[in-house]
Amino acid sequence: MQNFSSVKRKTLSSVAVLAALTLAASVAAVGTAQAAVKVTVTGTVSCAKFDDSVPKTVTITPKKGVAGEDEPPGEEKVEQYTIKLTGIPNTGTTATFKVVCEDDEGDTNTYKNKNVPIKKPPNGPLTVNLPVA
């Protein structure tokens, strides 16, 4: 019977270790989830550098977090956009802004701004006017 008791103790020890590791992983996941914030980015987008073009889409791709996209009305060379990003770290990140401009014939031109800082401001949305100088 000593063998049975020894096996039982080892099994209980293994279960206890597994439960502790599972709990630690759950706590780590909750801590990571709380470190991410939502950031609303708004501003103007301009296609003035392309003759007779209007903004078709604005895409923001953060290095950390979830990308977002907006489709402005596309009637003027300068339009308003609003994009809600999730999963942005509390400390902020950088992002690539991509703008697709379209002319009357359906031809498109694209420009990008890389490494634009993204951080949740204390009040209201983050304003980024495109192109970024």
Side-chain angles (χ1 to χ4, degrees), residues 80-111:
Q80 295 285 326
Y81 75 94
T82 300
I83 298 175
K84 294 182 182 189
L85 302 172
T86 59
I88 304 300
N90 275 331
T91 56
T93 187
T94 59
T96 298
F97 285 68
K98 178 179 150 186
V99 177
V100 176
C101 300
E102 185 176 74
D103 65 16
D104 292 340
E105 297 174 2
D107 296 328
T108 60
N109 290 294
T110 302
Y111 69 89

CSV table of all heavy atoms in Angstrom, one decimal, residues 80-111:
chain,number,residue,atom,x,y,z
A,80,GLN,N,-13.1,65.0,-43.2
A,80,GLN,CA,-13.0,64.6,-41.8
A,80,GLN,C,-13.0,63.1,-41.8
A,80,GLN,O,-13.6,62.4,-42.6
A,80,GLN,CB,-14.2,65.1,-41.0
A,80,GLN,CG,-14.3,66.6,-40.9
A,80,GLN,CD,-13.2,67.2,-39.9
A,80,GLN,OE1,-12.9,66.6,-38.9
A,80,GLN,NE2,-12.7,68.4,-40.2
A,81,TYR,N,-12.3,62.5,-40.8
A,81,TYR,CA,-12.3,61.1,-40.6
A,81,TYR,C,-12.3,60.8,-39.0
A,81,TYR,O,-11.9,61.7,-38.3
A,81,TYR,CB,-11.1,60.4,-41.2
A,81,TYR,CG,-9.8,60.6,-40.5
A,81,TYR,CD1,-9.4,59.7,-39.5
A,81,TYR,CD2,-9.0,61.7,-40.7
A,81,TYR,CE1,-8.2,59.9,-38.8
A,81,TYR,CE2,-7.8,61.9,-40.0
A,81,TYR,CZ,-7.4,61.0,-39.1
A,81,TYR,OH,-6.3,61.2,-38.4
A,82,THR,N,-12.8,59.7,-38.6
A,82,THR,CA,-12.8,59.2,-37.2
A,82,THR,C,-12.5,57.7,-37.2
A,82,THR,O,-13.2,57.0,-37.9
A,82,THR,CB,-14.1,59.6,-36.5
A,82,THR,OG1,-14.3,61.0,-36.6
A,82,THR,CG2,-14.1,59.1,-35.1
A,83,ILE,N,-11.5,57.3,-36.5
A,83,ILE,CA,-11.2,55.9,-36.4
A,83,ILE,C,-11.0,55.5,-34.9
A,83,ILE,O,-10.3,56.2,-34.2
A,83,ILE,CB,-9.9,55.5,-37.2
A,83,ILE,CG1,-10.1,55.8,-38.6
A,83,ILE,CG2,-9.5,54.1,-36.9
A,83,ILE,CD1,-8.9,55.6,-39.5
A,84,LYS,N,-11.7,54.5,-34.5
A,84,LYS,CA,-11.5,54.0,-33.1
A,84,LYS,C,-10.6,52.8,-33.1
A,84,LYS,O,-10.8,51.8,-33.8
A,84,LYS,CB,-12.9,53.6,-32.5
A,84,LYS,CG,-13.8,54.8,-32.3
A,84,LYS,CD,-15.1,54.5,-31.7
A,84,LYS,CE,-15.9,55.7,-31.7
A,84,LYS,NZ,-17.1,55.6,-30.9
A,85,LEU,N,-9.5,52.9,-32.3
A,85,LEU,CA,-8.5,51.9,-32.2
A,85,LEU,C,-8.7,51.2,-30.8
A,85,LEU,O,-9.0,51.9,-29.8
A,85,LEU,CB,-7.1,52.4,-32.3
A,85,LEU,CG,-6.8,53.2,-33.6
A,85,LEU,CD1,-5.4,53.9,-33.5
A,85,LEU,CD2,-6.9,52.3,-34.8
A,86,THR,N,-8.5,49.9,-30.8
A,86,THR,CA,-8.5,49.2,-29.5
A,86,THR,C,-7.2,48.4,-29.3
A,86,THR,O,-6.4,48.2,-30.2
A,86,THR,CB,-9.6,48.1,-29.5
A,86,THR,OG1,-9.5,47.2,-30.6
A,86,THR,CG2,-11.0,48.8,-29.6
A,87,GLY,N,-6.9,48.1,-28.0
A,87,GLY,CA,-5.7,47.3,-27.7
A,87,GLY,C,-4.4,48.2,-27.7
A,87,GLY,O,-3.3,47.6,-27.8
A,88,ILE,N,-4.6,49.5,-27.6
A,88,ILE,CA,-3.4,50.4,-27.6
A,88,ILE,C,-2.8,50.3,-26.2
A,88,ILE,O,-3.6,50.5,-25.2
A,88,ILE,CB,-3.8,51.8,-28.0
A,88,ILE,CG1,-4.4,51.9,-29.3
A,88,ILE,CG2,-2.6,52.8,-27.9
A,88,ILE,CD1,-3.6,51.4,-30.5
A,89,PRO,N,-1.5,50.1,-26.0
A,89,PRO,CA,-0.9,50.1,-24.7
A,89,PRO,C,-1.1,51.4,-24.0
A,89,PRO,O,-1.1,52.5,-24.6
A,89,PRO,CB,0.5,49.8,-24.9
A,89,PRO,CG,0.6,49.2,-26.3
A,89,PRO,CD,-0.5,49.8,-27.1
A,90,ASN,N,-1.2,51.4,-22.6
A,90,ASN,CA,-1.3,52.6,-21.8
A,90,ASN,C,-0.2,53.6,-22.1
A,90,ASN,O,-0.3,54.8,-22.0
A,90,ASN,CB,-1.4,52.3,-20.3
A,90,ASN,CG,-2.7,51.9,-19.8
A,90,ASN,OD1,-3.7,52.4,-20.4
A,90,ASN,ND2,-2.8,51.1,-18.8
A,91,THR,N,1.0,53.0,-22.4
A,91,THR,CA,2.2,53.8,-22.6
A,91,THR,C,2.2,54.4,-24.0
A,91,THR,O,3.1,55.1,-24.4
A,91,THR,CB,3.4,53.0,-22.4
A,91,THR,OG1,3.4,51.8,-23.2
A,91,THR,CG2,3.6,52.6,-20.9
A,92,GLY,N,1.3,53.9,-24.9
A,92,GLY,CA,1.2,54.4,-26.3
A,92,GLY,C,2.0,53.5,-27.2
A,92,GLY,O,2.6,52.5,-26.8
A,93,THR,N,1.9,53.9,-28.5
A,93,THR,CA,2.6,53.1,-29.5
A,93,THR,C,2.8,54.0,-30.7
A,93,THR,O,2.5,55.2,-30.6
A,93,THR,CB,1.8,51.8,-29.9
A,93,THR,OG1,2.6,51.1,-30.8
A,93,THR,CG2,0.5,52.2,-30.6
A,94,THR,N,3.3,53.5,-31.8
A,94,THR,CA,3.3,54.3,-33.0
A,94,THR,C,2.5,53.6,-34.1
A,94,THR,O,2.2,52.4,-33.9
A,94,THR,CB,4.8,54.5,-33.6
A,94,THR,OG1,5.3,53.2,-33.8
A,94,THR,CG2,5.6,55.3,-32.6
A,95,ALA,N,2.1,54.3,-35.1
A,95,ALA,CA,1.3,53.7,-36.1
A,95,ALA,C,1.6,54.2,-37.5
A,95,ALA,O,2.2,55.3,-37.7
A,95,ALA,CB,-0.2,54.0,-35.8
A,96,THR,N,1.2,53.5,-38.5
A,96,THR,CA,1.3,53.9,-39.9
A,96,THR,C,-0.1,54.3,-40.4
A,96,THR,O,-1.0,53.6,-40.2
A,96,THR,CB,1.8,52.7,-40.8
A,96,THR,OG1,3.1,52.4,-40.3
A,96,THR,CG2,1.9,53.2,-42.2
A,97,PHE,N,-0.2,55.5,-40.9
A,97,PHE,CA,-1.4,56.0,-41.5
A,97,PHE,C,-1.3,55.9,-43.0
A,97,PHE,O,-0.3,56.3,-43.6
A,97,PHE,CB,-1.6,57.5,-41.1
A,97,PHE,CG,-2.0,57.8,-39.7
A,97,PHE,CD1,-1.1,57.5,-38.6
A,97,PHE,CD2,-3.2,58.3,-39.4
A,97,PHE,CE1,-1.5,57.8,-37.3
A,97,PHE,CE2,-3.6,58.6,-38.1
A,97,PHE,CZ,-2.8,58.3,-37.1
A,98,LYS,N,-2.3,55.3,-43.6
A,98,LYS,CA,-2.3,55.1,-45.0
A,98,LYS,C,-3.6,55.8,-45.6
A,98,LYS,O,-4.7,55.5,-45.1
A,98,LYS,CB,-2.3,53.6,-45.3
A,98,LYS,CG,-2.4,53.3,-46.8
A,98,LYS,CD,-2.4,51.8,-47.0
A,98,LYS,CE,-3.2,51.4,-48.2
A,98,LYS,NZ,-3.3,49.9,-48.4
A,99,VAL,N,-3.4,56.6,-46.6
A,99,VAL,CA,-4.5,57.3,-47.2
A,99,VAL,C,-4.6,56.9,-48.7
A,99,VAL,O,-3.5,57.0,-49.4
A,99,VAL,CB,-4.3,58.8,-47.1
A,99,VAL,CG1,-5.5,59.6,-47.8
A,99,VAL,CG2,-4.3,59.2,-45.6
A,100,VAL,N,-5.7,56.5,-49.1
A,100,VAL,CA,-6.0,56.2,-50.5
A,100,VAL,C,-6.8,57.3,-51.1
A,100,VAL,O,-7.9,57.6,-50.6
A,100,VAL,CB,-6.6,54.8,-50.8
A,100,VAL,CG1,-6.9,54.6,-52.2
A,100,VAL,CG2,-5.8,53.7,-50.2
A,101,CYS,N,-6.3,58.0,-52.2
A,101,CYS,CA,-7.0,59.1,-52.8
A,101,CYS,C,-7.5,58.5,-54.2
A,101,CYS,O,-6.8,57.8,-54.9
A,101,CYS,CB,-6.1,60.3,-53.0
A,101,CYS,SG,-5.5,60.9,-51.5
A,102,GLU,N,-8.7,59.0,-54.6
A,102,GLU,CA,-9.2,58.5,-55.9
A,102,GLU,C,-9.7,59.7,-56.7
A,102,GLU,O,-10.3,60.6,-56.2
A,102,GLU,CB,-10.4,57.6,-55.6
A,102,GLU,CG,-11.0,56.9,-56.9
A,102,GLU,CD,-12.1,56.0,-56.5
A,102,GLU,OE1,-13.2,56.4,-56.2
A,102,GLU,OE2,-11.8,54.8,-56.6
A,103,ASP,N,-9.4,59.7,-58.0
A,103,ASP,CA,-9.8,60.8,-58.9
A,103,ASP,C,-11.1,60.4,-59.6
A,103,ASP,O,-11.7,59.3,-59.4
A,103,ASP,CB,-8.7,61.1,-59.9
A,103,ASP,CG,-8.4,60.0,-60.9
A,103,ASP,OD1,-9.2,59.1,-61.1
A,103,ASP,OD2,-7.3,60.1,-61.6
A,104,ASP,N,-11.6,61.3,-60.5
A,104,ASP,CA,-12.9,61.1,-61.1
A,104,ASP,C,-12.9,59.9,-62.0
A,104,ASP,O,-14.0,59.3,-62.3
A,104,ASP,CB,-13.2,62.3,-62.0
A,104,ASP,CG,-13.5,63.5,-61.1
A,104,ASP,OD1,-13.8,63.4,-59.9
A,104,ASP,OD2,-13.5,64.7,-61.7
A,105,GLU,N,-11.8,59.4,-62.5
A,105,GLU,CA,-11.7,58.3,-63.4
A,105,GLU,C,-11.5,56.9,-62.7
A,105,GLU,O,-11.4,55.9,-63.3
A,105,GLU,CB,-10.6,58.5,-64.4
A,105,GLU,CG,-10.8,59.7,-65.3
A,105,GLU,CD,-9.7,60.0,-66.2
A,105,GLU,OE1,-8.7,59.3,-66.2
A,105,GLU,OE2,-9.8,61.0,-66.9
A,106,GLY,N,-11.5,57.0,-61.3
A,106,GLY,CA,-11.3,55.8,-60.5
A,106,GLY,C,-9.8,55.4,-60.3
A,106,GLY,O,-9.5,54.4,-59.7
A,107,ASP,N,-8.9,56.2,-60.8
A,107,ASP,CA,-7.5,56.0,-60.5
A,107,ASP,C,-7.1,56.4,-59.1
A,107,ASP,O,-7.7,57.3,-58.5
A,107,ASP,CB,-6.6,56.8,-61.4
A,107,ASP,CG,-6.8,56.4,-62.9
A,107,ASP,OD1,-7.0,55.2,-63.2
A,107,ASP,OD2,-6.6,57.3,-63.8
A,108,THR,N,-6.3,55.6,-58.4
A,108,THR,CA,-5.9,55.8,-57.0
A,108,THR,C,-4.5,56.1,-56.8
A,108,THR,O,-3.6,55.7,-57.6
A,108,THR,CB,-6.3,54.6,-56.1
A,108,THR,OG1,-5.5,53.5,-56.6
A,108,THR,CG2,-7.8,54.3,-56.2
A,109,ASN,N,-4.2,56.9,-55.8
A,109,ASN,CA,-2.9,57.2,-55.3
A,109,ASN,C,-2.9,57.0,-53.8
A,109,ASN,O,-3.9,57.3,-53.2
A,109,ASN,CB,-2.5,58.7,-55.6
A,109,ASN,CG,-2.3,58.9,-57.1
A,109,ASN,OD1,-1.4,58.4,-57.7
A,109,ASN,ND2,-3.2,59.7,-57.7
A,110,THR,N,-1.8,56.5,-53.3
A,110,THR,CA,-1.7,56.2,-51.9
A,110,THR,C,-0.5,56.9,-51.3
A,110,THR,O,0.6,57.0,-51.9
A,110,THR,CB,-1.5,54.7,-51.7
A,110,THR,OG1,-2.6,54.0,-52.3
A,110,THR,CG2,-1.5,54.3,-50.2
A,111,TYR,N,-0.7,57.4,-50.1
A,111,TYR,CA,0.5,57.9,-49.3
A,111,TYR,C,0.4,57.4,-47.9
A,111,TYR,O,-0.7,57.1,-47.4
A,111,TYR,CB,0.6,59.4,-49.4
A,111,TYR,CG,-0.4,60.3,-48.7
A,111,TYR,CD1,-0.3,60.6,-47.4
A,111,TYR,CD2,-1.5,60.8,-49.4
A,111,TYR,CE1,-1.2,61.4,-46.7
A,111,TYR,CE2,-2.5,61.5,-48.7
A,111,TYR,CZ,-2.3,61.9,-47.4
A,111,TYR,OH,-3.2,62.6,-46.7
